[in-house]
Structure formats: structure tokens, C-alpha cells
Amino acid sequence: MRDILSTRKLQRVMELDYGSELHALRGENMTAANVLRAYAEIVGAVHAEEPGVRIARMEPTYLEGRQGAIGFDLHNLFYPYGHLGDYSVVEHFSMTLPAAVLMRGSAAA
């Protein structure tokens, strides 16, 4: 998921739709509208590229140690056989993604 969200669209040859446009939000004020744009971009990019992962809940969170640093707590559903169209087995997992890492625009971040 980190790779999808940290890669800009049009960056990969032969996979031009792979990635997200989160870099466009870098440096913007964290208004309700921009947080909603980030939500939509994260969900759209992950659901388009990972058939076995569904984001069930997402919450913005402030990261410790940095003034004004924001991240996202993702609560996900993982379907091990989702790539085959089988959604009968499900596992839950959570992760925190710092927005600074996701918005660098490079998969190497």
C-alpha cells in the first residue's frame, strides 16, 4: 500500500494508472476539504490496485514528535484470495501511514 500511495501516476512505464495523486496535496493547509481529498485519493488508489485489500475505516491522526505532522490510521480488511475473486476469507489489520512519506512522490521514499 505504501508503494501505491507514494508513487505518482504516470511515473511507471507500462503502468501509467498505477499510483496516486497525493503529491498534489503536499504543502496545502490541512482543511477539512483537503483531508477529504486525501481520503478519496487513498481509498481510490488502494482499491484500484489491490483487489485483496479494502479500507474499512480511516482517521487522521497527529504524529508524535513533530508539530503539525499528520498521518492516517487505516483499519483494513485483507482478503487473501481477493485477486481470484474469492472474498469468503477475511483478516483485519491496521496501520498508520505518515502523510509526509506518502506525499514525496517517489516509490523509493
Side-chain angles (χ1 to χ4, degrees):
M1 288 176 51
R2 244 182 230 264
D3 185 59
I4 294 168
L5 297 174
S6 64
T7 302
R8 290 181 184 200
K9 285 191 176 188
L10 304 176
Q11 185 174 348
R12 289 192 174 183
V13 177
M14 303 294 288
E15 292 183 294
L16 297 177
D17 288 336
Y18 183 87
S20 71
E21 294 293 333
L22 284 173
H23 69 278
L25 294 173
R26 186 169 193 186
E28 295 290 327
N29 293 331
M30 279 295 124
T31 62
N34 285 339
V35 171
L36 186 60
R37 285 176 51 201
Y39 274 29
E41 190 61 39
I42 290 169
V43 171
V46 170
H47 289 189
E49 297 297 330
E50 282 290 339
V53 175
R54 292 292 172 252
I55 298 173
R57 192 174 80 220
M58 183 173 12
E59 302 165 351
T61 184
Y62 288 105
L63 302 177
E64 291 183 30
R66 292 195 57 203
Q67 183 75 14
I70 191 171
F72 295 96
D73 286 331
L74 303 175
H75 304 278
N76 308 298
L77 302 173
F78 175 63
Y79 300 96
Y81 306 110
H83 63 287
L84 301 173
D86 180 6
Y87 296 96
S88 61
V89 178
V90 64
E91 300 171 10
H92 300 270
F93 73 97
S94 298
M95 63 191 306
T96 298
L97 296 174
V101 171
L102 301 178
M103 293 183 191
R104 285 190 187 135
S106 169

